[in-house]
Amino acid sequence: MEVHSDLDLIIIGKTGNGKSATGNSILRELDVFKSAYNTTSITDFPQTGIIKVVDCPGVLDTDIDETGADELVKEALQYALLANPSGYDAFLIVVKFSQRFTKEEQDSIKILKRILGKDVIKTHGIVVICNGDTFEHFSKTQGLTIEEFCTQQKGYFKKLLKECKNRVIVFDNITEDETIKNKQLEILIKAVDTLKANTSKYTTQHFQKANDLTEAISREKKLFTYQS
């Protein structure tokens, strides 16, 4: 099965959550995106497989402060948008099953919304839960579907799921089962098609508008602080 030729995606998430492996699964290729089992991101700038899937660097890595993360993510996303001027259909937010949604990941979502616009998760976000093999075992033992699992979530992760209107997909990036590979890809394509039917692609115009607004708010805050 081949990915639709007009499927344009950006993969984002904390380093080590499985962004590169997910990119490889979507493209049905091995090592288009390099993966690493270390604590720092191996993807310093976006890499493009067929320019339809872009793997962006992890945010708030162990060696990057918040200001640095803002600049790194902003630069990476700008690079990705310039590389594909027609824009992107969706941002895939990669998280790892059985791992707590950390303060770092909460902060990364806030950074993305600052840079891409406050409604970007609502209009273009899809949550991808990696470690699908582990989730499959959990699902069978607990008798829970992915939908039921999502309803049980709490805190910021629950808020994230609600914000993206429960567009959630489980991905098994290590399976050799072609049926599973095809099925999860079909679910992803269906989710993206739903987005495409309701909103336009995210382009450099959206990016510029969001950053102009952020800079305007920043100037107003500085002016208010000065006057106070």
Side-chain angles (χ1 to χ4, degrees), residues 15 31 34 53 64 88 139 160 163 167-168 180 193 222:
T15 297
D31 298 326
K34 295 180 180 179
V53 179
I64 303 175
Y88 293 88
S139 176
L160 175 64
E163 193 167 2
R167 292 186 292 264
V168 183
I180 294 175
D193 284 344
K222 288 180 180 179

Side-chain angles (χ1 to χ4, degrees), residues 128-145:
V128 177
I129 300 178
C130 287
N131 283 12
D133 55 325
T134 305
F135 178 81
E136 180 65 19
H137 176 73
F138 168 85
S139 176
K140 289 179 179 179
T141 57
Q142 299 298 316
L144 292 176
T145 64

Side-chain angles (χ1 to χ4, degrees), residues 45-228:
F45 286 91
Q47 296 182 356
T48 54
I50 55 173
I51 211 169
K52 292 296 180 181
V53 179
V54 174
D55 179 7
C56 279
V59 298
L60 294 182
D61 286 344
T62 54
D63 57 347
I64 303 175
D65 60 22
E66 185 170 346
T67 301
D70 268 48
E71 291 304 314
L72 176 62
V73 175
K74 184 176 180 179
E75 184 177 1
L77 290 170
Q78 187 173 31
Y79 179 94
L81 288 163
L82 290 173
N84 191 22
S86 63
Y88 293 88
D89 299 302
F91 293 89
L92 305 187
I93 304 162
V94 178
V95 299
K96 183 180 290 186
F97 176 69
S98 75
Q99 182 171 292
R100 185 172 61 87
F101 198 71
T102 66
K103 174 69 163 53
E104 285 184 346
E105 288 171 297
Q106 294 178 33
D107 289 340
S108 73
I109 298 299
K110 293 174 183 177
I111 289 172
L112 288 167
K113 291 169 72 173
R114 272 202 304 271
I115 294 170
L116 297 174
K118 63 182 180 66
D119 293 326
V120 68
I121 304 299
K122 184 186 302 182
T123 58
H124 292 85
I126 296 175
V127 172
V128 177
I129 300 178
C130 287
N131 283 12
D133 55 325
T134 305
F135 178 81
E136 180 65 19
H137 176 73
F138 168 85
S139 176
K140 289 179 179 179
T141 57
Q142 299 298 316
L144 292 176
T145 64
I146 182 60
E147 292 80 12
E148 291 168 336
F149 167 76
C150 290
T151 62
Q152 293 184 356
Q153 300 311 296
K154 299 179 181 179
Y156 195 93
F157 188 57
K158 181 177 181 178
K159 180 180 178 182
L160 175 64
L161 295 176
K162 182 178 179 180
E163 193 167 2
C164 73
K165 301 179 181 179
N166 291 312
R167 292 186 292 264
V168 183
I169 301 165
V170 177
F171 251 73
D172 183 346
N173 293 320
I174 64 172
T175 184
E176 297 296 329
D177 189 322
E178 291 297 321
T179 300
I180 294 175
K181 289 180 180 180
N182 288 335
K183 183 63 177 178
Q184 61 193 22
L185 196 52
E186 286 174 6
I187 295 172
L188 172 61
I189 291 171
K190 184 177 180 180
V192 175
D193 284 344
T194 299
L195 281 178
K196 291 166 68 173
N198 293 287
T199 189
S200 60
K201 288 188 176 186
Y202 189 99
T203 65
T204 52
Q205 284 74 27
H206 293 89
F207 181 82
Q208 189 60 53
K209 182 178 179 180
N211 280 272
D212 287 347
L213 180 59
T214 299
E215 290 174 7
I217 292 173
S218 179
R219 286 194 298 269
E220 287 182 10
K221 285 183 178 180
K222 288 180 180 179
L223 180 61
F224 178 78
T225 302
Y226 175 77
Q227 291 175 340
S228 298

